[in-house]
Amino acid sequence: MSDALTAGEIVLALAVIALLVRLGAMVYRTRSLSREGNLAVMATRYPNGSWRTGMVRYRPDRLEWFTFRTLRLTPERIWKRGEFVLGSRNALDSSELPRAMTGDAVAVDVECAVERFSIAMAPADYTALRSWSESAPPGLRSQGY
């Protein structure tokens, strides 16, 4: 019986260590990504799809979107600033909220080149995104305002 208990304790200890390593890697990834620009939580949804929550990083000429699901330091999606056109803002009710978002998130339809999708963000993060989009220097400004 003591051998089984010892094996169970070892498995439990390994699971806790694996969880702590994963948590540490996520913190390291977030800190690494934030060193190169401001981050905000943003969910994306393509037509007939579900919400995918991640982080968006503002760059002078583009937006970079990183999913929460991986530990990669490279963005999953990149949208060019001059092609990123924000539609009107809509409030989301609690049944429509993406995972990892609480409170009064807003949804916005987006067109970027040939892509059409929706994003969801906290209102303050949306205001920052709208400001970033509208303050593009000449040559990078989209025509969707």
Side-chain angles (χ1 to χ4, degrees):
M1 177 92 176
S2 64
D3 291 337
L5 185 60
T6 303
E9 290 172 343
I10 290 172
V11 169
L12 180 62
L14 289 174
V16 168
I17 290 170
L19 182 65
L20 290 174
V21 167
R22 172 77 177 183
L23 183 63
M26 290 173 63
V27 169
Y28 173 77
R29 176 182 182 241
T30 303
R31 291 182 57 91
S32 296
L33 293 175
S34 67
R35 282 190 199 116
E36 297 182 28
N38 294 333
L39 291 176
V41 174
M42 181 175 91
T44 60
R45 179 175 60 190
Y46 284 84
N48 301 321
S50 59
W51 288 109
R52 294 186 61 210
T53 308
M55 299 175 289
V56 65
R57 179 169 61 189
Y58 302 96
R59 306 293 269 176
D61 60 340
R62 67 189 180 276
L63 280 179
E64 299 173 336
W65 187 78
F66 303 85
T67 183
F68 279 148
R69 294 182 184 175
T70 69
L71 295 176
R72 290 182 0 189
L73 294 174
T74 57
E76 184 169 316
R77 307 285 310 170
I78 297 175
W79 299 294
K80 292 182 181 177
R81 188 174 192 163
E83 298 173 353
F84 197 80
V85 180
L86 293 167
S88 60
R89 153 185 168 158
N90 305 308
L92 287 173
D93 58 24
S94 59
S95 64
E96 297 177 312
L97 283 176
R99 286 189 320 210
M101 289 193 158
T102 58
D104 53 350
V106 296
V108 180
D109 291 329
V110 175
E111 290 182 31
C112 189
V114 297
E115 290 183 282
R116 285 179 171 60
F117 55 97
S118 298
I119 61 171
M121 305 177 88
D125 292 335
Y126 167 72
T127 301
L129 177 63
R130 173 69 76 177
S131 176
W132 172 87
S133 176
E134 292 177 355
S135 67
L140 289 179
R141 196 167 293 140
S142 68
Q143 304 302 314
Y145 305 113

